[in-house]
Short mmCIF file of all heavy atoms in Angstrom, two decimals:
data_model
loop_
_atom_site.label_atom_id
_atom_site.label_comp_id
_atom_site.label_asym_id
_atom_site.label_seq_id
_atom_site.Cartn_x
_atom_site.Cartn_y
_atom_site.Cartn_z
N ARG A 130 149.81 125.24 113.59
CA ARG A 130 150.65 125.57 112.47
C ARG A 130 151.32 124.34 111.79
O ARG A 130 152.06 124.42 110.85
CB ARG A 130 151.77 126.52 112.89
CG ARG A 130 151.26 127.87 113.39
CD ARG A 130 152.41 128.77 113.78
NE ARG A 130 153.28 129.08 112.75
CZ ARG A 130 153.09 129.99 111.75
NH1 ARG A 130 151.95 130.75 111.81
NH2 ARG A 130 153.97 130.23 110.81
N ALA A 131 150.94 123.19 112.28
CA ALA A 131 151.43 121.96 111.75
C ALA A 131 151.05 121.64 110.30
O ALA A 131 149.99 122.19 109.89
CB ALA A 131 151.08 120.73 112.62
N ILE A 132 151.84 120.86 109.63
CA ILE A 132 151.45 120.40 108.26
C ILE A 132 150.53 119.19 108.46
O ILE A 132 150.82 118.28 109.26
CB ILE A 132 152.63 120.07 107.44
CG1 ILE A 132 153.52 121.33 107.16
CG2 ILE A 132 152.22 119.44 106.07
CD1 ILE A 132 154.82 120.96 106.53
N PHE A 133 149.45 119.16 107.73
CA PHE A 133 148.49 118.01 107.77
C PHE A 133 148.08 117.74 106.31
O PHE A 133 147.76 118.64 105.54
CB PHE A 133 147.28 118.43 108.57
CG PHE A 133 146.09 117.49 108.46
CD1 PHE A 133 146.06 116.30 109.13
CD2 PHE A 133 145.00 117.80 107.64
CE1 PHE A 133 145.00 115.45 108.98
CE2 PHE A 133 143.89 116.99 107.51
CZ PHE A 133 143.91 115.77 108.22
N ILE A 134 148.10 116.48 106.00
CA ILE A 134 147.65 115.98 104.69
C ILE A 134 146.67 114.84 104.85
O ILE A 134 146.89 113.93 105.59
CB ILE A 134 148.81 115.47 103.84
CG1 ILE A 134 150.00 116.48 103.79
CG2 ILE A 134 148.42 115.01 102.44
CD1 ILE A 134 151.30 115.87 103.54
N GLY A 135 145.50 115.02 104.21
CA GLY A 135 144.62 113.89 104.03
C GLY A 135 144.62 113.50 102.53
O GLY A 135 144.54 114.33 101.66
N PHE A 136 144.85 112.20 102.34
CA PHE A 136 145.06 111.75 100.97
C PHE A 136 144.24 110.40 100.83
O PHE A 136 144.24 109.55 101.71
CB PHE A 136 146.55 111.49 100.76
CG PHE A 136 146.88 110.74 99.49
CD1 PHE A 136 146.42 111.13 98.21
CD2 PHE A 136 147.70 109.62 99.56
CE1 PHE A 136 146.69 110.48 97.05
CE2 PHE A 136 148.05 108.88 98.36
CZ PHE A 136 147.58 109.35 97.14
N LYS A 137 143.64 110.25 99.59
CA LYS A 137 142.75 109.05 99.50
C LYS A 137 142.98 108.34 98.20
O LYS A 137 143.21 108.86 97.16
CB LYS A 137 141.26 109.47 99.62
CG LYS A 137 140.73 110.26 98.40
CD LYS A 137 139.29 110.67 98.64
CE LYS A 137 138.34 109.50 98.80
NZ LYS A 137 138.20 108.77 97.51
N GLY A 138 142.87 106.99 98.33
CA GLY A 138 142.49 106.14 97.21
C GLY A 138 141.04 105.96 97.31
O GLY A 138 140.24 106.90 97.11
N GLY A 139 140.57 104.74 97.58
CA GLY A 139 139.19 104.54 97.87
C GLY A 139 138.39 103.83 96.80
O GLY A 139 138.97 103.15 95.99
N ASP A 140 137.08 104.10 96.81
CA ASP A 140 136.14 103.32 95.98
C ASP A 140 135.08 104.36 95.50
O ASP A 140 134.32 104.89 96.25
CB ASP A 140 135.49 102.25 96.82
CG ASP A 140 134.57 101.33 96.00
OD1 ASP A 140 134.30 101.70 94.87
OD2 ASP A 140 134.16 100.32 96.55
N ASN A 141 135.05 104.56 94.16
CA ASN A 141 134.07 105.49 93.63
C ASN A 141 132.63 104.99 93.65
O ASN A 141 131.70 105.70 93.49
CB ASN A 141 134.42 105.77 92.16
CG ASN A 141 135.57 106.77 92.00
OD1 ASN A 141 135.85 107.53 92.93
ND2 ASN A 141 136.10 106.88 90.78
N LYS A 142 132.49 103.69 94.07
CA LYS A 142 131.12 103.13 94.21
C LYS A 142 130.56 103.32 95.58
O LYS A 142 129.33 103.06 95.80
CB LYS A 142 131.11 101.59 93.87
CG LYS A 142 131.65 101.25 92.49
CD LYS A 142 131.53 99.79 92.24
CE LYS A 142 132.26 98.90 93.25
NZ LYS A 142 133.71 99.17 93.24
N ALA A 143 131.34 103.73 96.53
CA ALA A 143 130.92 103.82 97.92
C ALA A 143 129.73 104.88 97.96
O ALA A 143 129.71 105.84 97.25
CB ALA A 143 132.01 104.26 98.82
N ASN A 144 128.85 104.65 98.99
CA ASN A 144 127.73 105.60 99.21
C ASN A 144 128.30 107.06 99.40
O ASN A 144 129.22 107.26 100.14
CB ASN A 144 126.90 105.20 100.41
CG ASN A 144 126.08 104.04 100.12
OD1 ASN A 144 125.85 103.65 98.94
ND2 ASN A 144 125.61 103.31 101.17
N HIS A 145 127.68 108.03 98.76
CA HIS A 145 128.00 109.43 98.87
C HIS A 145 129.37 109.71 98.27
O HIS A 145 129.85 110.87 98.48
CB HIS A 145 127.96 109.88 100.36
CG HIS A 145 126.58 109.96 100.95
ND1 HIS A 145 125.75 111.04 100.73
CD2 HIS A 145 125.89 109.07 101.68
CE1 HIS A 145 124.62 110.84 101.40
NE2 HIS A 145 124.65 109.69 101.96
N SER A 146 129.98 108.83 97.57
CA SER A 146 131.26 109.13 96.97
C SER A 146 131.21 110.12 95.89
O SER A 146 130.19 110.42 95.27
CB SER A 146 131.92 107.81 96.46
OG SER A 146 131.20 107.35 95.29
N HIS A 147 132.37 110.82 95.66
CA HIS A 147 132.66 111.61 94.45
C HIS A 147 133.64 110.92 93.62
O HIS A 147 134.21 109.90 94.02
CB HIS A 147 133.15 112.98 94.91
CG HIS A 147 132.24 113.80 95.70
ND1 HIS A 147 132.56 115.10 96.05
CD2 HIS A 147 131.05 113.55 96.15
CE1 HIS A 147 131.54 115.61 96.79
NE2 HIS A 147 130.54 114.65 96.88
N LEU A 148 133.87 111.41 92.41
CA LEU A 148 134.86 110.78 91.51
C LEU A 148 136.20 111.46 91.84
O LEU A 148 136.73 112.17 91.03
CB LEU A 148 134.46 110.95 90.09
CG LEU A 148 133.09 110.38 89.74
CD1 LEU A 148 132.73 110.56 88.23
CD2 LEU A 148 132.98 108.88 90.14
N ASP A 149 136.73 111.09 92.98
CA ASP A 149 137.83 111.86 93.59
C ASP A 149 139.01 111.00 94.00
O ASP A 149 139.77 111.40 94.88
CB ASP A 149 137.39 112.59 94.83
CG ASP A 149 136.86 111.72 95.92
OD1 ASP A 149 136.77 110.48 95.69
OD2 ASP A 149 136.50 112.22 97.01
N LEU A 150 139.19 109.84 93.38
CA LEU A 150 140.37 109.02 93.72
C LEU A 150 141.67 109.82 93.51
O LEU A 150 141.88 110.40 92.47
CB LEU A 150 140.38 107.71 92.90
CG LEU A 150 139.10 106.84 92.99
CD1 LEU A 150 139.27 105.62 92.12
CD2 LEU A 150 138.78 106.51 94.42
N GLY A 151 142.54 109.75 94.53
CA GLY A 151 143.80 110.51 94.45
C GLY A 151 143.73 111.89 95.03
O GLY A 151 144.76 112.63 95.02
N SER A 152 142.63 112.32 95.49
CA SER A 152 142.48 113.71 95.93
C SER A 152 143.14 113.88 97.34
O SER A 152 143.32 112.91 98.06
CB SER A 152 141.01 114.11 96.03
OG SER A 152 140.86 115.54 96.07
N PHE A 153 143.36 115.16 97.69
CA PHE A 153 144.01 115.40 98.96
C PHE A 153 143.61 116.78 99.43
O PHE A 153 143.09 117.66 98.74
CB PHE A 153 145.58 115.39 98.78
CG PHE A 153 146.12 116.49 97.98
CD1 PHE A 153 146.61 117.67 98.55
CD2 PHE A 153 146.12 116.42 96.59
CE1 PHE A 153 147.12 118.66 97.75
CE2 PHE A 153 146.64 117.42 95.75
CZ PHE A 153 147.16 118.61 96.36
N VAL A 154 143.80 117.07 100.82
CA VAL A 154 143.76 118.35 101.34
C VAL A 154 145.03 118.60 102.06
O VAL A 154 145.81 117.68 102.43
CB VAL A 154 142.57 118.56 102.35
CG1 VAL A 154 141.20 118.34 101.69
CG2 VAL A 154 142.69 117.60 103.58
N LEU A 155 145.39 119.90 102.22
CA LEU A 155 146.63 120.31 102.87
C LEU A 155 146.39 121.48 103.81
O LEU A 155 145.89 122.48 103.32
CB LEU A 155 147.69 120.63 101.76
CG LEU A 155 149.00 121.33 102.25
CD1 LEU A 155 149.80 120.34 103.10
CD2 LEU A 155 149.78 121.79 101.05
N ASP A 156 146.87 121.33 105.03
CA ASP A 156 146.90 122.40 106.03
C ASP A 156 148.35 122.69 106.34
O ASP A 156 149.21 121.78 106.41
CB ASP A 156 146.18 122.05 107.40
CG ASP A 156 144.69 121.84 107.18
OD1 ASP A 156 144.16 122.16 106.12
OD2 ASP A 156 144.11 121.23 108.09
N ALA A 157 148.69 123.97 106.57
CA ALA A 157 150.02 124.34 107.03
C ALA A 157 149.96 125.83 107.47
O ALA A 157 149.22 126.61 106.99
CB ALA A 157 151.08 124.17 105.94
N ASP A 158 150.80 126.09 108.52
CA ASP A 158 150.88 127.52 109.03
C ASP A 158 149.56 128.06 109.40
O ASP A 158 149.33 129.27 109.17
CB ASP A 158 151.61 128.44 108.02
CG ASP A 158 153.13 128.16 108.01
OD1 ASP A 158 153.59 127.49 108.96
OD2 ASP A 158 153.84 128.69 107.18
N GLY A 159 148.68 127.29 109.88
CA GLY A 159 147.38 127.84 110.34
C GLY A 159 146.34 128.07 109.33
O GLY A 159 145.35 128.73 109.56
N HIS A 160 146.52 127.55 108.08
CA HIS A 160 145.59 127.73 106.99
C HIS A 160 145.39 126.41 106.19
O HIS A 160 146.27 125.59 106.17
CB HIS A 160 146.07 128.81 105.99
CG HIS A 160 146.19 130.17 106.67
ND1 HIS A 160 147.26 130.53 107.37
CD2 HIS A 160 145.34 131.24 106.61
CE1 HIS A 160 147.06 131.79 107.81
NE2 HIS A 160 145.89 132.21 107.38
N ARG A 161 144.22 126.25 105.65
CA ARG A 161 144.05 125.20 104.66
C ARG A 161 144.30 125.75 103.23
O ARG A 161 143.73 126.70 102.79
CB ARG A 161 142.61 124.66 104.75
CG ARG A 161 142.31 123.61 103.67
CD ARG A 161 141.27 122.55 104.12
NE ARG A 161 141.76 121.74 105.21
CZ ARG A 161 141.09 120.68 105.69
NH1 ARG A 161 139.97 120.36 105.18
NH2 ARG A 161 141.59 120.00 106.72
N TRP A 162 145.33 125.04 102.62
CA TRP A 162 145.79 125.50 101.28
C TRP A 162 145.11 124.70 100.15
O TRP A 162 144.76 125.32 99.12
CB TRP A 162 147.29 125.36 101.19
CG TRP A 162 148.01 126.18 102.21
CD1 TRP A 162 148.47 125.83 103.41
CD2 TRP A 162 148.25 127.63 102.11
NE1 TRP A 162 149.05 126.90 104.10
CE2 TRP A 162 148.91 127.97 103.37
CE3 TRP A 162 148.05 128.61 101.13
CZ2 TRP A 162 149.31 129.30 103.52
CZ3 TRP A 162 148.45 129.87 101.37
CH2 TRP A 162 149.05 130.25 102.53
N ALA A 163 144.96 123.44 100.31
CA ALA A 163 144.29 122.59 99.27
C ALA A 163 142.98 122.21 99.87
O ALA A 163 142.95 121.54 100.94
CB ALA A 163 145.15 121.36 98.92
N VAL A 164 141.87 122.64 99.29
CA VAL A 164 140.54 122.41 99.89
C VAL A 164 139.75 121.43 99.07
O VAL A 164 139.96 121.27 97.89
CB VAL A 164 139.72 123.74 99.98
CG1 VAL A 164 140.51 124.75 100.79
CG2 VAL A 164 139.39 124.30 98.58
N ASP A 165 138.87 120.71 99.75
CA ASP A 165 137.82 119.90 99.08
C ASP A 165 136.54 120.65 99.11
O ASP A 165 136.19 121.20 100.18
CB ASP A 165 137.71 118.53 99.81
CG ASP A 165 136.91 117.59 98.99
OD1 ASP A 165 135.67 117.83 98.77
OD2 ASP A 165 137.39 116.52 98.64
N LEU A 166 135.85 120.75 98.01
CA LEU A 166 134.67 121.55 97.91
C LEU A 166 133.45 120.98 98.59
O LEU A 166 132.41 121.63 98.80
CB LEU A 166 134.34 121.87 96.47
CG LEU A 166 135.45 122.57 95.68
CD1 LEU A 166 135.09 122.73 94.22
CD2 LEU A 166 135.79 123.90 96.27
N GLY A 167 133.51 119.68 98.97
CA GLY A 167 132.41 119.05 99.70
C GLY A 167 131.21 118.79 98.85
O GLY A 167 131.28 118.73 97.63
N ALA A 168 130.11 118.66 99.52
CA ALA A 168 128.87 118.29 98.86
C ALA A 168 128.13 119.47 98.24
O ALA A 168 128.39 120.63 98.56
CB ALA A 168 127.92 117.68 99.85
N ASP A 169 127.28 119.21 97.30
CA ASP A 169 126.36 120.21 96.75
C ASP A 169 124.98 120.02 97.40
O ASP A 169 124.80 119.17 98.32
CB ASP A 169 126.28 120.16 95.22
CG ASP A 169 125.94 121.54 94.61
OD1 ASP A 169 125.14 122.24 95.18
OD2 ASP A 169 126.62 121.89 93.62
N ASP A 170 123.96 120.76 96.98
CA ASP A 170 122.65 120.66 97.56
C ASP A 170 122.04 119.29 97.07
O ASP A 170 121.89 118.99 95.92
CB ASP A 170 121.75 121.83 96.96
CG ASP A 170 120.39 121.84 97.50
OD1 ASP A 170 119.98 120.88 98.16
OD2 ASP A 170 119.72 122.89 97.32
N TYR A 171 121.69 118.50 98.12
CA TYR A 171 121.04 117.18 97.85
C TYR A 171 119.79 117.27 97.01
O TYR A 171 119.33 116.34 96.41
CB TYR A 171 120.72 116.49 99.13
CG TYR A 171 121.88 115.89 99.86
CD1 TYR A 171 123.21 116.11 99.49
CD2 TYR A 171 121.67 115.03 100.96
CE1 TYR A 171 124.26 115.52 100.17
CE2 TYR A 171 122.77 114.43 101.61
CZ TYR A 171 124.02 114.68 101.27
OH TYR A 171 125.07 114.11 101.96
N ASN A 172 119.13 118.47 97.00
CA ASN A 172 117.81 118.61 96.34
C ASN A 172 117.94 119.06 94.89
O ASN A 172 116.89 119.19 94.24
CB ASN A 172 116.99 119.59 97.13
CG ASN A 172 116.65 119.09 98.52
OD1 ASN A 172 116.21 117.97 98.66
ND2 ASN A 172 116.90 119.91 99.48
N ILE A 173 119.13 119.26 94.30
CA ILE A 173 119.16 119.66 92.95
C ILE A 173 118.90 118.40 92.06
O ILE A 173 119.05 117.29 92.50
CB ILE A 173 120.55 120.31 92.56
CG1 ILE A 173 121.73 119.33 92.85
CG2 ILE A 173 120.72 121.63 93.29
CD1 ILE A 173 123.04 119.92 92.45
N PRO A 174 118.37 118.62 90.88
CA PRO A 174 117.96 117.49 90.10
C PRO A 174 118.99 116.38 89.88
O PRO A 174 120.08 116.66 89.55
CB PRO A 174 117.55 118.13 88.75
CG PRO A 174 117.20 119.47 89.09
CD PRO A 174 118.15 119.87 90.20
N GLY A 175 118.59 115.17 90.18
CA GLY A 175 119.45 113.98 89.92
C GLY A 175 120.67 113.88 90.68
O GLY A 175 121.71 113.16 90.37
N TYR A 176 120.74 114.52 91.92
CA TYR A 176 121.99 114.52 92.65
C TYR A 176 122.34 113.13 93.09
O TYR A 176 123.54 112.80 93.11
CB TYR A 176 121.81 115.41 93.94
CG TYR A 176 123.10 115.62 94.68
CD1 TYR A 176 124.04 116.58 94.33
CD2 TYR A 176 123.44 114.83 95.75
CE1 TYR A 176 125.24 116.73 95.00
CE2 TYR A 176 124.62 114.93 96.50
CZ TYR A 176 125.53 115.93 96.08
OH TYR A 176 126.71 116.08 96.76
N PHE A 177 121.40 112.28 93.36
CA PHE A 177 121.69 110.91 93.63
C PHE A 177 121.20 110.00 92.51
O PHE A 177 120.94 108.79 92.76
CB PHE A 177 121.02 110.49 94.96
CG PHE A 177 121.62 111.10 96.18
CD1 PHE A 177 121.03 112.19 96.83
CD2 PHE A 177 122.93 110.68 96.64
CE1 PHE A 177 121.59 112.68 97.97
CE2 PHE A 177 123.47 111.25 97.76
CZ PHE A 177 122.87 112.27 98.42
N GLY A 178 121.15 110.58 91.34
CA GLY A 178 120.74 109.78 90.24
C GLY A 178 121.62 110.01 88.93
O GLY A 178 122.84 110.16 89.12
N ARG A 179 120.99 110.06 87.83
CA ARG A 179 121.72 110.10 86.57
C ARG A 179 122.54 111.38 86.29
O ARG A 179 123.51 111.35 85.55
CB ARG A 179 120.83 109.90 85.39
CG ARG A 179 120.13 108.54 85.41
CD ARG A 179 119.29 108.35 84.15
NE ARG A 179 118.66 107.04 84.16
CZ ARG A 179 117.79 106.56 83.20
NH1 ARG A 179 117.54 107.41 82.18
NH2 ARG A 179 117.37 105.35 83.19
N GLN A 180 122.22 112.47 87.03
CA GLN A 180 122.95 113.72 86.81
C GLN A 180 124.06 113.96 87.80
O GLN A 180 124.81 114.96 87.70
CB GLN A 180 121.93 114.90 86.92
CG GLN A 180 120.95 114.92 85.75
CD GLN A 180 119.82 115.92 85.96
OE1 GLN A 180 118.71 115.60 86.32
NE2 GLN A 180 120.16 117.22 85.82
N ARG A 181 124.26 112.97 88.68
CA ARG A 181 125.26 113.18 89.78
C ARG A 181 126.59 113.60 89.25
O ARG A 181 127.25 114.48 89.75
CB ARG A 181 125.29 111.85 90.62
CG ARG A 181 126.23 112.03 91.79
CD ARG A 181 126.11 110.82 92.74
NE ARG A 181 126.98 110.90 93.92
CZ ARG A 181 126.79 111.61 94.97
NH1 ARG A 181 125.69 112.31 95.10
NH2 ARG A 181 127.62 111.64 96.03
N TRP A 182 127.06 112.86 88.19
CA TRP A 182 128.44 113.11 87.78
C TRP A 182 128.52 114.25 86.78
O TRP A 182 129.59 114.49 86.16
CB TRP A 182 128.98 111.82 87.11
CG TRP A 182 128.90 110.61 87.96
CD1 TRP A 182 128.38 109.42 87.61
CD2 TRP A 182 129.20 110.53 89.40
NE1 TRP A 182 128.42 108.57 88.68
CE2 TRP A 182 128.91 109.15 89.82
CE3 TRP A 182 129.74 111.35 90.36
CZ2 TRP A 182 129.15 108.74 91.04
CZ3 TRP A 182 130.01 110.93 91.61
CH2 TRP A 182 129.65 109.65 91.99
N SER A 183 127.47 114.99 86.61
CA SER A 183 127.52 116.27 85.81
C SER A 183 127.82 117.51 86.72
O SER A 183 128.11 118.54 86.15
CB SER A 183 126.19 116.43 85.07
OG SER A 183 125.13 116.75 85.96
N TYR A 184 127.73 117.32 88.04
CA TYR A 184 127.90 118.52 88.91
C TYR A 184 129.35 118.69 89.33
O TYR A 184 130.02 117.67 89.66
CB TYR A 184 127.01 118.37 90.11
CG TYR A 184 125.55 118.39 89.76
CD1 TYR A 184 124.70 117.34 90.21
CD2 TYR A 184 125.04 119.45 89.04
CE1 TYR A 184 123.34 117.37 89.87
CE2 TYR A 184 123.66 119.44 88.73
CZ TYR A 184 122.83 118.40 89.14
OH TYR A 184 121.47 118.46 88.79
N TYR A 185 129.86 119.90 89.23
CA TYR A 185 131.30 120.19 89.36
C TYR A 185 131.89 119.64 90.67
O TYR A 185 132.95 119.04 90.66
CB TYR A 185 131.50 121.73 89.30
CG TYR A 185 132.99 122.05 89.34
CD1 TYR A 185 133.71 122.03 88.20
CD2 TYR A 185 133.62 122.41 90.51
CE1 TYR A 185 135.06 122.38 88.12
CE2 TYR A 185 135.00 122.77 90.47
CZ TYR A 185 135.73 122.68 89.31
OH TYR A 185 137.08 123.00 89.34
N ARG A 186 131.24 119.82 91.79
CA ARG A 186 131.74 119.41 93.04
C ARG A 186 131.99 117.87 93.14
O ARG A 186 132.78 117.39 93.89
CB ARG A 186 130.88 119.83 94.23
CG ARG A 186 130.94 121.30 94.60
CD ARG A 186 130.00 121.59 95.76
NE ARG A 186 130.10 122.91 96.23
CZ ARG A 186 129.43 123.93 95.75
NH1 ARG A 186 128.61 123.80 94.71
NH2 ARG A 186 129.56 125.14 96.25
N LEU A 187 131.26 117.14 92.32
CA LEU A 187 131.31 115.70 92.33
C LEU A 187 132.23 115.08 91.22
O LEU A 187 132.66 113.97 91.29
CB LEU A 187 129.91 115.05 92.26
CG LEU A 187 129.05 115.15 93.54
CD1 LEU A 187 128.66 116.59 93.83
CD2 LEU A 187 127.83 114.19 93.41
N ARG A 188 132.41 115.92 90.18
CA ARG A 188 133.24 115.48 89.05
C ARG A 188 134.71 115.40 89.39
O ARG A 188 135.17 116.07 90.40
CB ARG A 188 133.06 116.41 87.87
CG ARG A 188 131.69 116.41 87.21
CD ARG A 188 131.51 117.45 86.10
NE ARG A 188 132.51 117.27 85.09
CZ ARG A 188 132.55 116.38 84.11
NH1 ARG A 188 131.49 115.54 83.99
NH2 ARG A 188 133.53 116.30 83.23
N THR A 189 135.44 114.71 88.65
CA THR A 189 136.91 114.59 88.88
C THR A 189 137.58 115.94 88.79
O THR A 189 138.51 116.29 89.57
CB THR A 189 137.53 113.59 87.89
OG1 THR A 189 136.84 112.39 88.01
CG2 THR A 189 139.03 113.42 88.18
N GLU A 190 137.18 116.75 87.83
CA GLU A 190 137.78 118.07 87.62
C GLU A 190 137.52 118.98 88.85
O GLU A 190 138.26 120.00 89.03
CB GLU A 190 137.24 118.76 86.46
CG GLU A 190 135.68 119.08 86.51
CD GLU A 190 135.17 119.84 85.26
OE1 GLU A 190 135.99 120.56 84.61
OE2 GLU A 190 133.97 119.69 85.02
N GLY A 191 136.57 118.70 89.73
CA GLY A 191 136.33 119.45 90.92
C GLY A 191 137.09 119.01 92.16
O GLY A 191 136.79 119.46 93.23
#
Side-chain angles (χ1 to χ4, degrees):
R130 295 179 62 82
I132 298 174
F133 167 79
I134 306 155
F136 169 53
K137 71 183 296 293
D140 184 351
N141 281 345
K142 302 185 301 299
N144 287 341
H145 289 276
S146 67
H147 295 184
L148 302 182
D149 62 353
L150 304 180
S152 196
F153 68 96
V154 297
L155 170 64
D156 295 347
D158 281 351
H160 296 82
R161 176 151 291 186
W162 298 97
V164 303
D165 191 297
L166 302 177
D169 210 317
D170 184 347
Y171 283 10
N172 295 309
I173 59 178
Y176 188 82
F177 290 105
R179 293 182 178 180
Q180 292 170 257
R181 184 169 179 81
W182 308 132
S183 68
Y184 295 127
Y185 185 84
R186 285 180 174 86
L187 285 71
R188 290 176 56 81
T189 304
E190 65 177 334

